[in-house]
Amino acid sequence: MRKFLVTLILVSTVISCSKDDGMDDNILNGTYAKKFNIIHYKTNPMYDVDKKTFEILSFDYAKDNEHIYFGNKIIAGADIQSFVLVGDYMSKDKNHVYYREMILEGADPETFFAIGGEIPKYFSDRKKIYNREGKPLNINISKFRILLENYVIDDKNVYYDGRKISGADINTFEPLSDTYSKDSNRVYMENRVLEDANPATFVIVADQSRKKSEIYTKDNRYVYYYGEIMEGADPETFVQIGNIYAKDKNHIYESKQILDIDMKNYKIWENGIYIKDKTKVYWGGTLVEGVDVETFEELGEENLAKDKNHVYSGDSVLEKLDPALLKYIGGPYYLYKNNILYLGSASLLGKKRKLETDIDGKNYVYMGDELIKDKKHVYYAGQRLKEVKPEELNTADDARKLKKKIIDGLLGIQKQRK
């Protein structure tokens, strides 16, 4: 039986060193760290780095007064003064374009740029189109245009993420989402044909927030789960309910699995991870054993729930938590007695990470986007932000800008001491 897991992907953050000494031993990021006075990239020590001038440029790029680094590897010959990042794993200076630490032979640095999107998937210079691995594509650059983030077209072909969609009709081609598309003859999932799908009636089934989640699709004959036919599902009455569940006139489904749920008496919470009727509770396609159904409720956004007896993460009981004392704050944060707990899915599954934070449980404000502050500090994902003061975070716009800095790798987190 397939277990559904909603995983909180913690965006690891990065820091830069000051010229006097730089990172102290208690500062970590997703890639670079200073341990025992030695710079490390992940677990690899970088013995020859000049620590006083070492500066992190992004998650995987750094520099000192002599070299540019991709990870722990020197980008040989890179010009420090003119070096810039162009996109994920793409960079350039006045002399060359680089993919990771390697020169992209033949690419023109003067005209090389990223094409569209927050995470660009295509790049171009004055002569060629390149994919995100630096491979030149056989695309007519004078006719090149982007249809949607993953889809581009020239005068002859349609491409998905740099791969040609064989046989696609460029005159009737229509992207439906980042994954699905169609023309007058076929339906496509990424760059492959869905052989049984009818392009005239094919649609993406919207989730409860009316977005196109891309889990379920259908036409006049079949319902599909990620492109696979769901035998017996009724396309006319099939709708998505919650984030992962669906129903037709006969059944309630999680993925392709039929759940033993009373269709007339069921409840799904706003987050849509748990579903219950009068006698049972499911977490995805897994029956939660021993639960008190009457008092069972989902807690917030982070794959947690409780009844009168227990707190649950997925289908497992968190033995050390008293459900009566656990109060939801927002995002992945919960108040337990006078302590703020970080109960993101990653922290619950990672045995080494403690749940209790250093956040003041009597003086806190949740700001959204995993950002929370007390009178002394600002925290992200339960970890202290070293370089941010609480008086700098007052509005939703402040939180949005701060979260972008974290995602872009411009701020660091201070590791909790155990």
Side-chain angles (χ1 to χ4, degrees), residues 2-114:
R2 191 181 72 87
K3 286 192 175 184
F4 179 89
L5 177 61
V6 176
T7 304
L8 175 68
I9 302 175
L10 299 178
V11 180
S12 301
T13 57
V14 295
I15 60 174
S16 61
C17 301
S18 62
K19 291 189 177 181
D20 50 11
D21 186 20
M23 295 180 282
D24 70 39
D25 290 344
N26 194 40
I27 301 298
L28 299 175
N29 55 63
T31 50
Y32 294 99
K34 183 179 177 184
K35 302 175 184 178
F36 308 112
N37 206 35
I38 297 172
I39 303 295
H40 286 68
Y41 173 74
K42 298 182 178 178
T43 59
N44 303 303
M46 299 170 66
Y47 295 111
D48 296 327
V49 168
D50 181 69
K51 293 189 288 294
K52 290 186 177 181
T53 60
F54 184 79
E55 180 182 349
I56 293 173
L57 303 177
S58 74
F59 293 104
D60 295 290
Y61 290 87
K63 70 178 183 178
D64 60 17
N65 63 340
E66 293 187 1
H67 300 294
I68 302 290
Y69 301 88
F70 174 78
N72 63 328
K73 298 177 181 178
I74 293 173
I75 302 180
D79 179 71
I80 296 174
Q81 298 302 318
S82 61
F83 184 86
V84 293
L85 301 177
V86 182
D88 277 1
Y89 305 143
M90 290 291 211
S91 59
K92 69 178 184 177
D93 60 19
K94 65 179 182 179
N95 302 312
H96 299 290
V97 177
Y98 306 92
Y99 170 64
R100 300 168 74 92
E101 77 278 10
M102 300 171 289
I103 293 175
L104 196 57
E105 297 291 350
D108 176 33
E110 184 177 353
T111 59
F112 191 87
F113 68 101

Side-chain angles (χ1 to χ4, degrees), residues 361-376:
K362 294 182 179 180
N363 297 283
Y364 64 87
V365 180
Y366 178 61
M367 301 299 297
D369 283 331
E370 295 195 56
L371 291 163
I372 191 170
K373 68 177 184 176
D374 57 23
K375 289 185 176 181
K376 295 182 179 181

Side-chain angles (χ1 to χ4, degrees), residues 297-359:
E297 59 178 328
E298 191 170 284
L299 286 177
E301 304 172 7
E302 295 305 329
N303 206 30
L304 257 69
K306 71 177 184 179
D307 60 19
K308 66 179 183 179
N309 301 312
H310 301 293
V311 177
Y312 301 86
S313 172
D315 62 334
S316 302
V317 173
L318 298 179
E319 297 288 356
K320 295 182 179 180
L321 296 181
D322 182 346
L325 302 178
L326 189 66
K327 177 184 176 183
Y328 179 57
I329 294 172
Y333 296 102
Y334 295 77
L335 182 65
Y336 190 70
K337 300 178 182 178
N338 287 324
N339 300 312
I340 303 294
L341 305 184
Y342 176 77
L343 297 180
S345 298
S347 67
L348 292 168
L349 296 172
K351 303 300 182 183
K352 294 182 179 180
R353 183 164 185 178
K354 73 176 196 176
L355 304 182
E356 188 172 325
T357 68
D358 296 327
I359 304 166

